[in-house]
Amino acid sequence: MPDTYVPDDAPRIEIEDIGSNPAPRETIGEVMERRLSRRAALFGLGGAAAAATLTDQLLAAAEPAMAQAAVPMTGGPSSLTFREIPHGMAQRDAVPEGYEIQTVIRWGDAVVPEAPDFDPMAQTPEKQAQQFGYNNDFLDFRPLPQGSQNSDRGLLVVNHEYTDTQLMFPGIGAGRAGRMRATAEQSQTELMAHGLSVVEIRRQTGRWQVVQNSRYNRRITGETEIRISGPAAGHDLLKTAWDPTGNRVLGTLNNCAGGNTPWGTILTAEENFNQYFSGEAARNGAQAESYRRYGIEAQGAYAWSRHIERFDLDKHPNEPNRFGWIVEFDPYDPNSVPVKRTALGRFKHEGATHAINHDGRVVIYSGDDERFDYVYKFVTARPWNPNDRAANRDLLDEGTLYVARFHDDGKMEWLPLVHGQGPLTAANGFHSQADVLINTRRAADLLQPTPMDRPEDVEANPANGRVYVMLTNNSNRTAQQVNASNPRARNVHGHVIEIVPPGAGTSSVDHASTEGRWEIFLMAGKPGFDAGARYHRATSESGWLSCPDNCAFDSKGRLWIATDGAPSAAGVADGIWAADTQGAGRALTKQFYRAPTGAEVCGPCFTPDGRTLFLAIQHPGDDAGSTFEKPSTRWPDFAENMPPRPSVIAIVKRDGGEIGS
Ligand code: FEO
Ligand code: CA
Ligand code: CA
Ligand code: CA
C-alpha cells in the first residue's frame, strides 16, 4: 500500500495513513524536547538534526557497552560489490550491470491447472479465482522437497494485498471516484484478486518458470473458508449470521507482508482490513469506538458493501472483527485449511517474522502499520518440536503478546497484553483474553507503549541476533511529539531502528526477554538536503533511500530494504537498497533495484543459496490520473492492449553468483 499524502482524487488508497491512535503518549517526547531545546540553543542545531545527533549521544552516554558494540558510521567501504544504479523515475525497472530481471508470474497468469487465459477486457470472478491475484506483496520461497535447502525448485507463496480498481477494469476512470463505480461483478472479481497464491517454480537453464500443472498450485481468495483459533475463537464479537459459532470466516484480506515458521508453514498478515467495510454503524453503532480505533469509517474505500452484504456494517457489525489477524497455513498441503491465530492479536499487522529463542520457544515480531501505532512480539508458551512437525500445529494458539516501549536512554521494555494484569481488567472493559485480543490496540494504549512512525517489517537478523524495525514515515508527528526512537518531526522519509535483545550476537540470544536495548540504524531521506538524514558517511548520491517498508537479510547478514513511498516523499522511484549491518560498511546503503513508475517494491526474498532475489512489484502504473486505458506504464508486458500488471520478478546474476556478492 502506498504511503504518503496524495490529493483526494488520486488513485491511491490512503486509509493506512489516517492515524487512528487518538492519544499518543507524550512523556518521552517532552523529555526529549526539553533536552533538545537546550542542545539546539547551545549548538544552534535544527530540531530534527539535533534529535538525531542527540539520540547517539544519549545512547553513548547512557550505555557505554552498547556504544562500543556499535560501529561508528564512518570510514570503510561496503562489502557489497555491485555498482549501484542512480535515482530516477522511468516506465521500466533497472538493476546493476551484470544482473538480470526475469518475470516469474503476473496478475492474471494461471495458478491452478485449469485456469483460463487472461483477458483483461473480459475478467470475471470465476476466472480471477484461478489466476494470480492483484498487488503481490509478501513473498516466500519454500524449497521442494520439503525440508531441503534446494534453490532451484520450490513453492513461491505470494500475498495479494489489495486491488487498484481503476487499473484493473476498462472504463472505470481514475481515482477514488472510479473505484467506487465498480459493478457487482467487478467487486466480486476484486474479492477474488485478494488472498494468496501458491505456485511451484523451477529454475531451468538459468530461467525461473512456473510449473503449470503442479499439485501444489493453489489460490486462497477473499472467499476461501478459514478457521479461527486461539483465545478469541468462538467469542460473541466474532459471531455472524453466516457463522453463528465465531469459529470460521470467509477469506483473508489485505495480506500485506508475512513470514514463516520453523516448521515450514506460512504466516500472512492482515493489514488495512478496515477499508472494505462501510455503514452508518461506524458513526453511531454499538461498536463505533472499536471501529474508530481501527479506522473503520461510514464510507470505506471500496464499493464492496453495496454489492457483497457482509461488508455492510449495518447488517453485519461483527464481520470486521474477523479480520486484522495473522493467518497460518501449510503451503505443502494444498488442501490445508488456513487458520486465523487470534493469540497474536488484532491490528493492522504489517508482517509476522519469527526468531527461534535459545530455549526453543518461537518469537513472532509484528508491526502495526499506522501513524503512532506500536511494535509487538508474540512468544509461544512452549518450545517448538523440530522432530515432529505435527506437534507444532497449534503452537501459535498459546503464548504471550507484548507491545514495545522504547526508552530515551536506549533501553526498552516489552509489556505483556495479558488479561487481568495491570489495567487489562473488567474495570476497563476487558473481561477475558479474547476481549484483549479483539481490541488489541485499545488494550495496548492502556499500557503506554511508544507510538511509532508507522512500523512496517520487524525482522530478526540471524547473523547478529538484532531485530530491525522499518519505520516508514509519519508526516503527522509534531515537534512536541518527537522522542528518542522517533526523533524527527514531520518524518516524511522514515527510519530504521535496531533492537538488541539480551545475548544478541551469541548463541543464547533471548528474543523472549521483556527487556532489550535499541539504537537507530539509519535516518532516511537525502543527506545534506533532508533534515536529520543519517547514514554511513560514504553513502553516495544514489545510496540514500526514503520510506523503508519490507526487508530481508542475505546469508552474510546484510540488510536489503524495499521502499514504498519515495515518489511522493522524495520525487524518485521506489526500489531496493542494501547495506552491511556490521563492520566498516555498516549503514552504507547502495541502490540495487529501481521500480517502474507508480510501483512500490515488496516481499524481498532470497533462495537459500542467495543466488536469486525475488521481488514483488506492487501497483505499477499507480500514478495520479492513471487508468486502465491510459496508465503511466504498461510494465512488464509493454503491449498496447495490456494494462500494467503487478508481478513477481526474479533477479539473478548473469555469472550465476550470489546476489550482492
Ligand atoms: Fe501494506 Fe504497511 O504496507
Ligand atoms: Ca507501506
Ligand atoms: Ca505495501
Ligand atoms: Ca508494507
Side-chain angles (χ1 to χ4, degrees):
M1 179 78 53
D3 289 341
T4 45
Y5 175 79
V6 284
D8 259 345
D9 62 343
R12 293 180 169 176
I13 295 161
E14 293 301 321
I15 295 289
E16 75 175 312
D17 282 352
I18 299 165
S20 61
N21 187 350
R25 189 160 157 269
E26 304 283 343
T27 323
I28 294 172
E30 286 160 12
V31 172
M32 282 299 293
E33 196 195 17
R34 199 167 56 245
R35 295 190 186 180
L36 275 176
S37 331
R38 188 172 154 268
R39 186 178 161 78
L42 284 174
F43 299 100
L45 293 171
T53 313
L54 190 62
T55 302
D56 284 347
Q57 296 198 345
L58 281 173
L59 292 176
E63 219 36 76
M66 194 163 87
Q68 196 178 18
V71 178
M73 290 190 185
T74 52
S78 168
S79 73
L80 293 146
T81 58
F82 63 86
R83 215 164 122 192
E84 63 180 331
I85 55 173
H87 282 291
M89 188 88 81
Q91 293 195 3
R92 291 181 188 270
D93 49 356
V95 281
E97 228 174 83
Y99 288 84
E100 176 190 323
I101 300 171
Q102 301 176 359
T103 304
V104 181
I105 188 165
R106 304 160 297 183
W107 165 50
D109 282 342
V111 171
V112 299
E114 58 278 13
D117 287 347
F118 180 55
D119 176 357
M121 298 302 289
Q123 190 62 324
T124 67
E126 294 71 27
K127 291 179 184 174
Q128 181 63 77
Q130 304 171 68
Q131 298 164 336
F132 196 65
Y134 208 78
N135 274 346
N136 31 221
D137 199 304
F138 170 74
L139 298 181
D140 199 9
F141 177 84
R142 297 276 89 213
L144 284 170
Q146 185 185 337
S148 74
Q149 289 290 297
N150 196 349
S151 291
D152 296 320
R153 180 182 170 228
L155 300 177
L156 187 68
V157 182
V158 186
N159 280 0
H160 301 297
E161 188 186 18
Y162 72 104
T163 44
D164 282 307
T165 322
Q166 76 284 1
L167 293 173
M168 287 176 74
F169 304 108
I172 277 283
R176 182 191 170 89
R179 221 167 41 235
M180 299 309 287
R181 260 180 231 125
T183 63
E185 180 166 71
Q186 288 167 339
S187 288
Q188 285 285 355
T189 304
E190 291 186 279
L191 185 61
M192 295 306 181
H194 280 66
L196 295 98
S197 293
V198 180
V199 284
E200 181 179 340
I201 55 171
R202 277 178 202 252
R203 189 177 183 195
Q204 277 169 324
T205 58
R207 284 205 72 80
W208 282 101
Q209 276 173 336
V210 172
V211 179
Q212 293 297 345
N213 294 313
S214 169
R215 71 175 191 91
Y216 295 108
N217 293 0
R218 170 180 195 183
R219 272 306 316 277
I220 293 168
T221 71
E223 285 207 335
T224 302
E225 189 164 331
I226 292 179
R227 188 162 71 83
I228 301 172
S229 77
H235 191 280
D236 282 348
L237 285 170
L238 299 191
K239 294 176 181 167
T240 64
W242 180 80
D243 168 34
T245 70
N247 283 318
R248 56 196 192 109
V249 55
L250 288 180
T252 177
L253 291 175
N254 213 268
N255 301 78
C256 191
N260 56 38
T261 64
W263 51 97
T265 58
I266 296 295
L267 301 176
T268 173
E270 296 186 317
E271 196 194 34
N272 297 295
F273 63 92
N274 56 310
Q275 60 189 343
Y276 304 104
F277 299 91
S278 303
E280 280 304 305
R283 292 202 178 94
N284 48 33
Q287 298 185 59
E289 189 194 335
S290 167
Y291 292 161
R292 210 170 359 259
R293 188 64 182 86
Y294 287 105
I296 296 165
E297 298 182 328
Q299 183 56 66
Y302 287 92
W304 295 11
S305 65
R306 281 211 321 270
H307 305 305
I308 310 167
E309 196 185 282
R310 65 186 167 111
F311 296 104
D312 182 341
L313 295 169
D314 299 325
K315 292 182 177 143
H316 302 281
N318 284 346
E319 187 68 3
N321 300 335
R322 295 141 65 78
F323 295 88
W325 303 103
I326 294 295
V327 185
E328 182 182 16
F329 83 100
D330 184 358
Y332 291 106
D333 174 3
N335 300 313
S336 61
V337 176
V339 184
K340 297 202 180 187
R341 299 289 182 193
T342 62
L344 279 71
R346 176 170 171 259
F347 47 91
K348 293 187 179 180
H349 287 279
E350 168 67 23
T353 61
H354 83 261
I356 301 175
N357 205 42
H358 64 87
D359 57 8
R361 284 181 294 166
V362 176
V363 179
I364 311 284
Y365 289 99
S366 190
D368 184 354
D369 182 7
E370 190 97 56
R371 293 168 181 165
F372 301 112
D373 261 293
Y374 313 129
V375 171
Y376 294 82
K377 74 176 178 186
F378 174 80
V379 182
T380 58
R382 289 177 291 116
W384 81 288
N385 186 337
N387 305 314
D388 180 3
R389 194 166 188 248
N392 305 308
R393 201 183 57 191
D394 293 320
L395 198 68
L396 298 182
D397 282 344
E398 233 184 294
T400 307
L401 182 65
Y402 298 87
V403 63
R405 185 188 290 162
F406 294 83
H407 291 280
D408 60 347
D409 63 357
K411 293 181 180 158
M412 68 178 300
E413 287 170 88
W414 292 97
L415 313 160
L417 285 146
V418 176
H419 176 250
Q421 289 188 16
L424 304 181
T425 59
N428 287 312
F430 296 101
H431 299 277
S432 63
Q433 185 63 15
D435 282 343
V436 169
L437 295 169
I438 293 167
N439 283 295
T440 301
R441 281 184 165 183
R442 199 162 58 82
D445 291 343
L446 294 174
L447 300 177
Q448 299 194 311
T450 306
M452 308 300 287
D453 287 346
R454 292 190 52 202
E456 301 254 26
D457 267 6
V458 182
E459 191 153 346
N461 183 350
N464 62 9
R466 296 181 173 209
V467 180
Y468 293 75
V469 185
M470 307 297 121
L471 295 158
T472 201
N473 56 46
N474 182 354
S475 52
N476 286 356
R477 189 176 292 274
T478 65
Q480 289 71 42
Q481 291 170 319
V482 297
N483 53 48
S485 53
N486 301 273
R488 182 156 57 182
R490 198 175 140 63
N491 184 13
V492 296
H493 299 294
H495 56 292
V496 176
I497 282 180
E498 203 178 30
I499 293 173
V500 188
T506 72
S507 58
S508 57
V509 52
D510 190 0
H511 286 284
S513 175
T514 56
E515 294 174 356
R517 305 182 188 286
W518 65 271
E519 54 192 276
I520 286 179
F521 182 71
L522 63 79
M523 296 292 301
K526 185 175 181 178
F529 182 78
D530 295 305
R534 188 167 62 102
Y535 305 79
H536 190 292
R537 181 192 283 167
T539 300
S540 80
E541 183 63 22
S542 310
W544 59 270
L545 60 98
S546 177
C547 304
D549 186 336
N550 297 136
C551 69
F553 300 97
D554 64 21
S555 62
K556 298 184 173 76
R558 296 176 299 201
L559 175 63
W560 295 68
I561 301 172
T563 70
D564 169 17
S568 323
V572 298
D574 280 313
I576 292 279
W577 281 258
D580 290 313
T581 53
Q582 290 166 293
R586 176 176 154 89
L588 203 176
T589 46
K590 292 178 72 175
Q591 187 169 176
F592 179 75
Y593 172 79
R594 192 174 67 223
T597 185
E600 67 170 280
V601 182
C602 304
C605 171
F606 290 96
T607 46
D609 66 3
R611 290 165 195 267
T612 299
L613 172 62
F614 294 108
L615 300 177
I617 308 307
Q618 195 186 83
H619 57 77
D622 181 19
D623 288 293
S626 249
T627 59
F628 180 93
E629 289 79 11
K630 281 198 165 171
S632 56
T633 179
R634 292 188 185 275
W635 186 93
D637 300 330
F638 295 99
E640 200 164 320
N641 297 319
M642 191 56 80
R645 299 166 82 179
S647 302
V648 174
I649 61 171
I651 299 177
V652 296
K653 216 173 164 190
R654 288 189 198 278
D655 68 6
E658 262 189 69
I659 304 289
S661 292

